[in-house]
Amino acid sequence: MTVGSIAVEEVLLLLKVGFLVLLYLFIWRVVRTASRDLRGVSQESMILAPQRVQEQKKRRRSGKAGPKPSGKLVVVTSPALRSGEEHAIATGPLLLGRDSENDVPLVRDEFTSGRHARIDPRGDGVWIEDAGSTNGTFVNGVRLTTPRRLSSGDVIRIGETDLRFER
């Protein structure tokens, strides 16, 4: 072997080691992302609908963010909550589900997922979306497939729990 072939072998070895390091970093990222998805950690998308982009531009020009609408959820029927109980929707999202960490825990509702639905006050109204539940989230008897803006009087069904949205 000559000096030139030893240098080539060392470079090839370094390239192999570098490739293995990149491969392990890639696998680590895939596993980390999958575990976050399984734990239910939400990741907000940075992609906005064209209407939301226009709204943000208007807010920036006017110099104000605009008040977020508020409202409340009133329990109609539920195996987990008292009828008539109210849950305020004020500044941030409201999480509903069977896990006790949710803002509205439905612990005794057997047909509710751990993290079932999310209610989010935005500049253009209060929106609800299903959080990947098994049995689905319903508004006025219609199953949600995309986020939907709530109107006063809408009845939300999560598992065996019925909630009425009021402004």
Side-chain angles (χ1 to χ4, degrees):
M1 286 206 286
T2 64
V3 174
S5 67
I6 293 174
V8 169
E9 288 180 15
E10 289 175 359
V11 170
L12 288 175
L13 179 64
L14 288 174
L15 287 173
K16 288 178 187 178
V17 169
F19 176 74
L20 285 174
V21 168
L22 289 174
L23 181 64
Y24 281 115
L25 283 173
F26 174 74
I27 291 171
W28 175 73
R29 289 287 303 220
V30 168
V31 169
R32 192 178 96 183
T33 303
S35 68
R36 278 187 181 171
D37 288 346
L38 291 175
R39 283 184 297 183
V41 176
S42 69
Q43 296 175 345
E44 298 296 327
S45 174
M46 293 304 293
I47 301 172
L48 299 175
Q51 300 90 347
R52 299 275 313 260
V53 172
Q54 290 172 352
E55 290 171 8
Q56 286 187 353
K57 285 180 181 177
K58 287 178 187 175
R59 280 189 226 133
R60 283 189 201 123
R61 279 189 225 128
S62 67
K64 59 182 178 179
K68 284 189 175 180
S70 60
K72 63 183 175 181
L73 295 176
V74 179
V75 178
V76 178
T77 59
S78 175
L81 304 171
R82 289 186 332 264
S83 185
E85 187 175 327
E86 296 181 359
H87 296 274
I89 304 167
T91 58
L94 200 63
L95 299 174
L96 299 99
R98 196 171 53 220
D99 290 344
S100 58
E101 302 93 45
N102 288 304
D103 300 308
V104 181
L106 303 169
V107 179
R108 293 187 314 244
D109 191 336
E110 296 176 9
F111 295 98
T112 303
S113 296
R115 205 167 260 184
H116 199 99
R118 174 185 171 126
I119 296 179
D120 194 14
R122 301 178 187 167
D124 59 344
V126 177
W127 290 75
I128 184 169
E129 63 182 304
D130 187 82
S133 67
T134 305
N135 294 323
T137 302
F138 296 83
V139 177
N140 299 328
V142 179
R143 187 176 186 145
L144 290 178
T145 55
T146 60
R148 175 182 168 165
R149 186 173 20 185
L150 292 172
S151 299
S152 191
D154 282 347
V155 176
I156 302 160
R157 184 160 185 90
I158 296 173
E160 293 182 312
T161 300
D162 288 329
L163 306 161
R164 185 177 56 251
F165 173 71
E166 295 179 357
R167 290 233 177 240

